[in-house]
Amino acid sequence: MKEYVSEQLLQIINKLKKQQFIPEDIIPRFTVERTKDKSHGDFATNLALTLAKPAKANPRQIAEKIVSLLPQNGVIEKVEIAGPGFINFFLDESWLARQVSAALADPHLGVSRVKNPQTVVIDYSSPNLAKEMHVGHLRSTIIGDAVARTLDFLGHQVIRQNHVGDWGTQFGMLLALMEQLRHEGHEISMELADLENFYRQAKQKFDDSAEFATRSRQLVVELQSGNENCLALWQEFLTISLSHCQKIYDRLGVGLSPEAIYGESAYNNDLPLVVRDLEKTGLLIEDQGAKCVFLDEFKGQDDKPLPMIIQKNDGGYLYATTDLAALRYRQNQLKADRILYFVDVRQSHHFNHLFAVARKAGFLAATTEVQHMGFGTVMGDDGKPFKTRSGSVAKLADLIDEAENRARMLVAEKNPEMDAAELEEIGRVVGIASIKYADLAKNRSSDYLFSFDNMISFEGDTGPYMLYAYTRVASIFRKAEIDENSLSGEIILGEEIERELANLQIQFAEILSRVAERGTPHLLCAYLYDLASTFSSFYKNCPVLSAESEKSRNSRLQLCLLTARILKQGLELLGIGTLERM
RNA sequence: GCGCCAGUAGCUCAGCUGGAUAGAGCACCCGACUUCUAAUCGGGCGGUCGCAGGUUCGAAUCCUGCCUGGCGCGCCA
């Protein structure tokens, strides 16, 4: 209805131009916004204020003129002029009520699919397979996943790409260690159970033993030249490492499966083609033995253009080459209309550079959107990147364990009589919800402080609060023993809080499209929190099952039902599961 | 040195394309459970929006300068 109001105003602007009230060539930059203060109605526009200068008139008078030109309609019940010349719109209550009914009748909750679906490639998670997943992968994984789910829900064709680090020099020492251990008669899969430890061992040997280091380098060369034994060993390593990742994804409820895996090694054969294509465009320049691309827009020290090194002086390729190959593949093979990278914000320079080179080289169509959805660092209490108590990088598996344990203990405290199995299940869901909600609720691009105490607290704006709000609705329906599909009848918005709740419910669609556009799930979190807390007030003030009339009871049950559905759907888009009781 | 990002209540964070009296949560203080789960709700306390200029009818938001912190800057990813 925001669009509806904007539409009406645009027509009025045209009328004002015809009347020569304002000059023909003026394009007013006005906004229609939801108001913060209910006394200002549901929407407000600053149109009259922006027209004051071109019309050479008092904004309040202009506002009156605009209001007089507004057509009668069933959407807006009342219009007021306020302050310096704002126009406030009050939504018609019965219209609002009908919107609620319509959303309830729609399995898609009143959210329409986009008219022009895009093929959106989403690059997220992308862990380095040489090591275990750690806290640094958390944000990419869950924010990327939430955006992927949202785009999918809106009707886009989403292609998830897990650009795992499965290639490079570090694999030499890992393979060398595998080889050695096998030679000594160890069971490799056992040794790889703790990947982190395995990596440490390999690194240690690499640093300590010249012989081992030589063998490692040799294995890298063999691997890259396609030696079969070497590839088999490498494949074995990947299989185990990928299963570690999949375990984490499954625990976190992240929608990444082996199908999404398309790692660095997948582009090996494309790398020479990237060089070939770049040579054709004349962009490739040899500098100090390395093949580079220089763009004037990217300058380093001394105002000299910064190179993007495509091929090293020893013939080896770098991440820029792989990233270019990936862009090329996503454009040509996957037919992407839009490509999103959920990668640490510290790489923003690299991505800007990359995108510019790719455009210049013709790897990207002019219409293809490509965006680096950078995210900030997860910090510890000390304001430094989050570490464990022992000072090492926190493994995701350990983080999840701790969240689940803490959640289970708190749930047990609240429900001393709950049986172990249910406790386990609830602890699991609450623990994961806590981690994910705390992260997703923060603005993507800035750093944030990781705190178990804050996120698993059962008070305030937390994952557990959201889950709790949902269980309260669920319990009404359990108690009422009614089939939710049998509900019908008119929605009555008698109480202020009911009106507020309905008003929020019909905003779901516009929130989702903003999340999809900007890649910012925190907007959805804020919205759902708003919905949940408004529901809590409603729940307190408006008896549902014991409402004063059957009509009111029916109406309130429907408000409850829509709240529950939006909460469940919204949390699902965030990748957070719900519980029927807790 | 150059570039990017950040600085908002005691703490953690929102604040949309410049809009009305800068908002939440936590903490603290008061009040509310014979009634659908009090993991809740209502109220209070708390802010020179880093500083100084500028643009504007209007600036936390845009521009300039400065201060503080973080990050990045040729063959790692």
Side-chain angles (χ1 to χ4, degrees):
Chain A
M1 61 269 49
K2 206 158 157 178
E3 293 72 28
Y4 174 82
V5 175
S6 298
E7 190 56 38
Q8 300 295 325
L9 292 174
L10 282 170
Q11 288 179 23
I12 290 174
I13 290 168
N14 284 332
K15 278 185 198 163
L16 291 175
K17 282 179 180 175
K18 280 203 189 90
Q19 295 178 14
Q20 302 193 336
F21 188 76
I22 52 172
E24 190 69 38
D25 57 344
I26 281 290
I27 303 165
R29 282 176 48 84
F30 69 99
T31 57
V32 176
E33 289 174 326
R34 287 200 175 268
T35 53
K36 290 170 195 157
D37 186 339
K38 273 171 295 170
S39 69
H40 296 145
D42 297 304
F43 294 96
T45 182
N46 59 354
L47 179 60
L49 292 162
T50 66
L51 291 180
K53 206 164 251 181
K56 296 193 182 79
N58 177 312
R60 285 193 71 106
Q61 284 169 359
I62 300 169
E64 275 172 44
K65 185 146 183 91
I66 292 168
V67 171
S68 71
L69 289 172
L70 273 172
Q72 284 294 321
N73 61 69
V75 182
I76 305 299
E77 187 226 331
K78 185 173 72 166
V79 182
E80 279 178 1
I81 296 164
F86 290 103
I87 303 173
N88 296 332
F89 300 89
F90 294 76
L91 282 178
D92 184 83
E93 204 169 282
S94 65
W95 179 84
L96 189 56
R98 285 198 304 278
Q99 296 303 299
V100 170
S101 296
L104 216 40
D106 177 5
H108 217 242
L109 304 175
V111 180
S112 49
R113 270 87 168 176
V114 288
K115 286 182 214 87
N116 304 305
Q118 290 182 307
T119 296
V120 187
V121 170
I122 308 186
D123 181 320
Y124 72 105
S125 196
S126 308
N128 178 357
L129 296 185
K131 298 185 186 184
E132 221 160 298
M133 286 187 78
H134 58 84
V135 64
H137 301 113
L138 183 67
R139 305 208 74 190
S140 175
T141 304
I142 67 183
I143 298 173
D145 197 48
V147 174
R149 287 165 185 261
T150 304
L151 285 163
D152 184 62
F153 186 72
L154 291 176
H156 294 288
Q157 199 211 327
V158 172
I159 303 178
R160 294 166 167 83
Q161 289 281 282
N162 196 352
H163 190 81
V164 296
D166 61 357
W167 202 248
T169 50
Q170 56 201 335
F171 282 91
M173 64 185 196
L174 295 169
L175 298 189
L177 183 55
M178 282 172 80
E179 196 180 59
Q180 188 184 332
L181 288 170
R182 178 155 291 168
H183 190 71
E184 290 167 2
H186 290 88
E187 180 58 52
I188 299 288
S189 61
M190 289 289 286
E191 301 292 331
L192 286 174
D194 188 344
L195 257 190
E196 207 57 30
N197 187 41
F198 193 86
Y199 183 90
R200 260 200 305 277
Q201 274 186 61
K203 180 89 172 84
Q204 185 85 46
K205 281 187 193 285
F206 185 88
D207 292 340
D208 293 351
S209 155
E211 201 187 331
F212 186 88
T214 306
R215 181 61 186 151
S216 298
R217 291 197 191 93
Q218 198 180 346
L219 282 169
V220 173
V221 175
E222 283 183 25
L223 181 66
Q224 288 179 342
S225 58
N227 175 296
E228 264 180 50
N229 291 330
C230 224
L231 281 172
L233 207 58
W234 172 73
Q235 197 54 253
E236 200 178 331
F237 182 91
L238 293 191
T239 304
I240 293 171
S241 183
L242 283 170
S243 78
H244 278 257
C245 293
Q246 194 57 49
K247 217 177 283 173
I248 297 287
Y249 296 148
D250 292 344
R251 289 185 75 186
L252 279 174
V254 164
L256 276 170
S257 65
E259 288 159 50
I261 304 282
Y262 207 78
E264 290 170 351
S265 66
Y267 299 103
N268 285 346
N269 296 333
D270 291 351
L271 301 178
L273 303 181
V274 169
V275 173
R276 182 201 64 192
D277 289 355
L278 285 172
E279 263 165 356
K280 271 193 228 159
T281 62
L283 286 168
L284 215 53
I285 288 166
E286 195 154 316
D287 187 78
Q288 296 168 41
K291 289 181 178 168
C292 311
V293 175
F294 292 91
L295 295 184
D296 290 339
E297 307 92 282
F298 293 86
K299 291 188 171 144
Q301 279 123 312
D302 308 332
D303 227 26
K304 282 185 294 190
L306 212 61
M308 170 173 280
I309 299 174
I310 305 298
Q311 193 168 19
K312 296 194 280 185
N313 53 19
D314 67 0
Y317 300 103
L318 290 146
Y319 63 105
T321 328
T322 312
D323 282 343
L324 282 171
L327 266 174
R328 199 169 155 275
Y329 168 78
R330 290 164 186 183
Q331 177 70 77
N332 298 338
Q333 254 61 56
L334 301 181
K335 311 286 181 205
D337 298 310
R338 191 179 179 205
I339 307 171
L340 306 179
Y341 287 84
F342 287 86
V343 179
D344 196 310
V345 75
R346 283 173 289 193
Q347 291 191 38
S348 63
H349 185 269
H350 165 64
F351 279 106
N352 287 335
H353 205 171
L354 181 75
F355 299 158
V357 170
R359 289 234 185 259
K360 216 147 239 180
F363 292 168
L364 282 173
T367 51
T368 303
E369 293 175 69
V370 44
Q371 293 161 297
H372 173 214
M373 300 286 185
F375 56 84
T377 310
V378 179
M379 307 295 239
D381 296 323
D382 54 0
K384 291 182 189 150
F386 186 77
K387 297 268 166 67
T388 57
R389 266 161 263 121
S390 59
S392 55
V393 178
K395 293 200 276 184
L396 269 186
D398 295 342
L399 218 63
I400 295 170
D401 285 343
E402 178 153 3
E404 289 180 352
N405 287 339
R406 284 183 183 236
R408 195 182 325 110
M409 277 162 60
L410 284 172
V411 172
E413 231 171 80
K414 290 279 177 191
N415 310 280
E417 71 299 333
M418 190 175 276
D419 65 86
E422 189 171 9
L423 199 60
E424 187 66 30
E425 170 64 6
I426 293 177
R428 197 182 60 74
V429 176
V430 172
I432 298 296
S434 300
I435 295 185
K436 293 181 86 171
Y437 186 85
D439 193 312
L440 291 165
K442 267 106 188 171
N443 190 332
R444 167 167 57 75
S445 58
S446 44
D447 297 346
Y448 84 93
L449 215 74
F450 186 94
S451 159
F452 277 117
D453 290 339
N454 288 349
M455 71 174 81
I456 305 189
S457 154
F458 285 175
E459 271 133 44
D461 189 6
T462 61
Y465 176 92
M466 305 300 295
L467 297 185
Y468 180 65
Y470 179 79
T471 61
R472 292 174 102 183
V473 199
S475 98
I476 288 179
F477 283 92
R478 227 180 5 255
K479 203 138 247 169
E481 290 180 344
I482 46 161
D483 174 12
E484 52 181 57
N485 297 313
S486 71
L487 284 172
S488 63
E490 194 189 352
I491 303 290
I492 308 154
L493 304 173
E495 299 289 328
E496 184 54 43
I497 193 77
E498 292 180 287
R499 202 188 136 87
E500 223 176 292
L501 188 60
N503 220 326
L504 272 171
Q505 288 173 337
I506 64 167
Q507 288 177 43
F508 191 39
E510 71 185 61
I511 296 294
L512 293 185
S513 62
R514 283 236 295 271
V515 171
E517 186 191 323
R518 297 185 211 173
T520 50
H522 80 280
L523 298 173
L524 178 55
C525 291
Y527 166 76
L528 292 176
Y529 177 72
D530 215 358
L531 181 67
S533 75
T534 302
F535 174 77
S536 290
S537 289
F538 161 81
Y539 182 90
K540 196 75 184 176
N541 294 310
C542 303
V544 176
L545 297 178
S546 54
E548 60 271 22
S549 71
E550 190 59 25
K551 254 185 111 175
S552 167
R553 183 177 191 263
N554 245 320
S555 166
R556 285 176 181 174
L557 276 168
Q558 290 182 72
L559 286 173
C560 287
L561 185 58
L562 186 55
T563 302
R565 286 187 179 165
I566 294 173
L567 279 179
K568 193 183 173 93
Q569 181 64 63
L571 288 170
E572 194 180 310
L573 294 179
L574 294 172
I576 295 174
T578 46
L579 293 161
E580 293 304 308
R581 66 177 92 217
M582 63 190 276

